[in-house]
Amino acid sequence: MLTMKIHSLSLIISVICLILLQWLPSGTNTCHALSIREATIWDLQTAFKQNQLTSRQLVQFYLNEIQRLNPILKGVIEVNPDALYLADKADLERKAKAAGSYSGLHGIPVLLKDNIATKDKLNTTAGSFALLGSVVPQDSGVVMKLRKAGAIILGKASLSEWSAFRSPTAPAGWSARGGQGKNPYVLSATPCGSSGGSAISVASNMVAVSLGTETDGSIICPSSFNSVVGIKPTVGLTSRAGVIPITPRQDTIGPICRTVSDAAYVLDAIVGFDYNDAEATGKASNYIPSGGYVQFLKADGLKGKRLGIVRDPFFKFSEKLVAQAFQNHLQTFRSNGAVVVDYLEIANISTILTSTLSGETTAALAEFRISLNAYLKELVASPVRSLAEVIAFNKKFSDLEMIKDFVNFRRWMGNEDFPLETSLGHGEHEATRLRWCLIIDRETSDAIQLEHRSKKKEQKKGITYQNNGVNYPNGH
């Protein structure tokens, strides 16, 4: 009871502090007529062109906001000590009218999830003390592209430790290094994860734009919970090279921003071929539209688009106000020309969403060990060189990593099914399960194609499907 009272009091104090912070001076919020808070990339670039703003002023504003808000929100795990130097460099390039200095991400601060490697003074740790002080061989593929675009790496965002793969019991947004990330709109609500810090930071205006990573929901979920925009790119559209992995089958890197337009600008900057992730990016790069994604930012972009709404299990509302707000959004889609296919059903969705039934858990656990060991071995310097050594570190520094509170790797994986001493990272038992996963993938794909062909035939016969009491032709 006493613990609950202390927790409640702490929460109330945090809420009061955050409210008070909003009324305190925050450094330069405006430069001439421009309000930096909530400004989009387009706004910032326009201000650069009109000499209303410099990159140094912009970076300084965000550094002030981080100093002000991060002690409570804990969205940023580390600030780049060279951020102001990089801002001055961008300003000089703009003054010299260097190529590309007035477009895209040039001079724009970007925050990176702390599993995305940078070859600079920043750490890359996945939120764990086990990797503190490790040295990466080079920038990750997406960071190389950001630097080429002229972006300023402001720092690293907090995250669910090891991208929420260390423990099934740790709260979303928590890591040993970063602490517990807070939802800036409701401090007691979950920020979701694992890219929680990236979403928290853009939502609270501690940075212009950010990058997150996703294996299963880690961009989409925190973007939703923190009321920002996240794009999960197709696997291989963005390079995974230099990103602390979970599984190459699903890992991807994408933007988390305040607006769709900002997310499109960031996506344009980070997609494309990378020889360090050649197979995946080579295939996906064939599908990048000529001229990029920003060209598709159109006021009438929803006209004629079909939007499927899968109510079960995603949109079940117990509160009438929330349900009505959701309906209002659907009506906004319709009034802007979209065709809303409501109450869309997906066959076997419960199996698809249950990772132990779909085979996702088995595949991810096996591939995580192999992928992580490969990443750790490539580091120039590191306190740990394998998953086994990470677990040993956690045991040795159990208080620091809060092992008693949150389950460790070994306990979650189970000593029988996933023996750490297996030299290749997975035994015959896991290999059998991986083969089973491939069979499921193939059978699911065949079933979807068969259903699609069947419905096409029915459409030709004039058959329609019912959605929310309204008849729509098949596919609408």
Side-chain angles (χ1 to χ4, degrees):
M1 181 64 71
L2 179 60
T3 303
M4 290 179 65
K5 288 182 178 179
I6 292 173
H7 176 74
S8 299
L9 180 61
S10 174
L11 181 61
I12 292 169
I13 291 172
S14 293
V15 173
I16 293 172
C17 287
L18 190 61
I19 292 171
L20 289 174
L21 281 172
Q22 298 296 335
W23 292 92
L24 293 175
S26 59
T28 305
N29 179 39
T30 59
C31 289
H32 302 289
L34 174 74
S35 174
I36 298 177
R37 186 175 282 109
E38 298 292 319
T40 65
I41 290 175
W42 177 263
D43 295 332
L44 297 173
Q45 289 294 351
T46 300
F48 290 154
K49 291 177 184 177
Q50 296 176 353
N51 294 319
Q52 292 182 329
L53 179 69
T54 64
S55 289
R56 170 172 270 271
Q57 290 172 326
L58 183 59
V59 167
Q60 189 62 64
F61 169 79
Y62 289 130
L63 292 176
N64 291 344
E65 292 298 277
I66 291 170
Q67 186 176 18
R68 221 169 49 91
L69 300 175
N70 201 58
I72 291 175
L73 298 179
K74 298 187 184 302
V76 180
I77 205 168
E78 192 172 343
V79 168
N80 188 353
D82 291 331
L84 287 173
Y85 163 77
L86 294 172
D88 290 339
K89 181 172 177 286
D91 288 334
L92 287 173
E93 289 172 348
R94 200 177 299 115
K95 189 175 182 180
K97 297 181 180 180
S101 60
Y102 279 109
S103 61
L105 294 184
H106 187 274
I108 303 295
V110 180
L111 199 65
L112 308 172
K113 186 177 179 181
D114 185 40
N115 62 345
I116 301 174
T118 53
K119 184 67 172 177
D120 52 20
K121 296 175 183 177
L122 290 166
N123 286 284
T124 305
T125 69
S128 172
F129 283 106
L131 281 177
L132 188 62
S134 62
V135 179
V136 300
Q138 59 190 2
D139 280 337
S140 59
V142 289
V143 171
M144 288 182 185
K145 292 183 182 295
L146 286 174
R147 294 196 198 277
K148 185 177 180 180
I152 297 168
I153 306 304
L154 185 65
K156 296 292 179 76
S158 63
L159 72 166
S160 305
E161 187 169 324
W162 291 104
S163 296
F165 212 68
R166 192 196 97 174
S167 166
T169 60
W174 176 87
S175 70
R177 279 196 69 211
Q180 179 60 60
K182 299 283 188 179
N183 187 312
Y185 291 100
V186 182
L187 292 177
S188 60
T190 177
C192 201
S194 63
S195 305
S198 301
I200 291 167
S201 299
V202 294
S204 58
N205 288 283
M206 289 194 288
V207 73
V209 294
S210 68
L211 288 191
T213 68
E214 175 159 331
T215 305
D216 185 345
S218 289
I219 289 175
I220 302 302
C221 187
S223 296
S224 172
F225 277 63
N226 293 279
S227 299
V228 292
V229 177
I231 296 178
K232 175 192 177 181
T234 300
V235 172
L237 193 63
T238 54
S239 171
R240 287 84 53 82
V243 177
I244 298 175
I246 291 181
T247 165
R249 184 190 300 268
Q250 295 173 231
D251 291 349
T252 188
I253 296 86
I256 297 180
C257 309
R258 285 187 291 273
T259 67
V260 173
S261 63
D262 282 358
Y265 275 104
V266 176
L267 186 64
D268 267 347
I270 63 174
V271 298
F273 178 76
D274 178 12
Y275 66 88
N276 289 317
D277 190 10
E279 183 177 1
T281 58
K283 291 178 180 178
S285 62
N286 293 321
Y287 299 95
I288 299 172
S290 177
Y293 297 96
V294 172
Q295 63 180 309
F296 300 108
L297 293 171
K298 300 176 180 178
D300 61 348
L302 281 175
K303 190 174 181 179
K305 301 299 186 296
R306 294 175 296 173
L307 305 178
I309 309 300
V310 184
R311 297 262 184 167
D312 185 15
F314 299 112
F315 302 112
K316 294 182 176 180
F317 306 111
S318 57
E319 296 182 18
K320 289 184 178 180
L321 287 176
V322 177
Q324 186 56 54
F326 185 74
Q327 286 298 126
N328 292 342
H329 290 313
L330 296 187
Q331 187 54 45
T332 299
F333 289 148
R334 293 188 183 100
S335 63
N336 281 275
V339 177
V340 177
V341 184
D342 207 352
Y343 293 94
L344 185 66
E345 294 182 359
I346 298 176
N348 301 320
I349 192 168
S350 60
T351 300
I352 294 169
L353 294 177
T354 306
S355 61
T356 52
L357 296 178
S358 67
E360 179 185 14
T361 295
T362 299
L365 287 172
E367 293 169 342
F368 170 66
R369 187 174 316 156
I370 299 167
S371 301
L372 180 63
N373 286 350
Y375 172 87
L376 295 174
K377 287 178 181 178
E378 289 179 358
L379 295 176
V380 176
S382 177
V384 291
R385 290 290 184 178
S386 68
L387 175 57
E389 290 185 8
V390 174
I391 294 171
F393 177 96
N394 286 355
K395 286 183 175 181
K396 183 176 181 180
F397 301 99
S398 58
D399 290 341
L400 191 64
E401 286 286 338
M402 297 182 68
I403 298 305
K404 292 179 181 178
D405 299 90
F406 309 129
V407 179
N408 198 6
F409 287 119
R410 186 189 259 293
R411 183 175 160 197
W412 186 23
M413 290 182 174
N415 295 338
E416 268 188 36
D417 287 350
F418 303 97
L420 288 172
E421 60 273 12
T422 303
S423 60
L424 294 179
H426 63 276
E428 182 55 35
H429 187 45
E430 282 174 284
T432 300
R433 290 187 178 185
L434 283 171
R435 287 194 293 270
W436 176 63
C437 291
L438 291 174
I439 292 171
I440 290 177
D441 287 345
R442 192 160 52 245
E443 288 182 348
T444 301
S445 177
D446 291 344
I448 290 172
Q449 291 181 38
L450 180 63
E451 183 179 10
H452 176 71
R453 288 195 295 268
S454 175
K455 287 186 176 181
K456 279 291 185 183
K457 289 179 181 179
E458 290 171 343
Q459 184 182 16
K460 290 179 180 179
K461 296 177 183 179
I463 296 175
T464 60
Y465 290 80
Q466 293 232 342
N467 295 283
N468 199 20
V470 180
N471 286 330
Y472 297 106
N474 178 37
H476 287 263

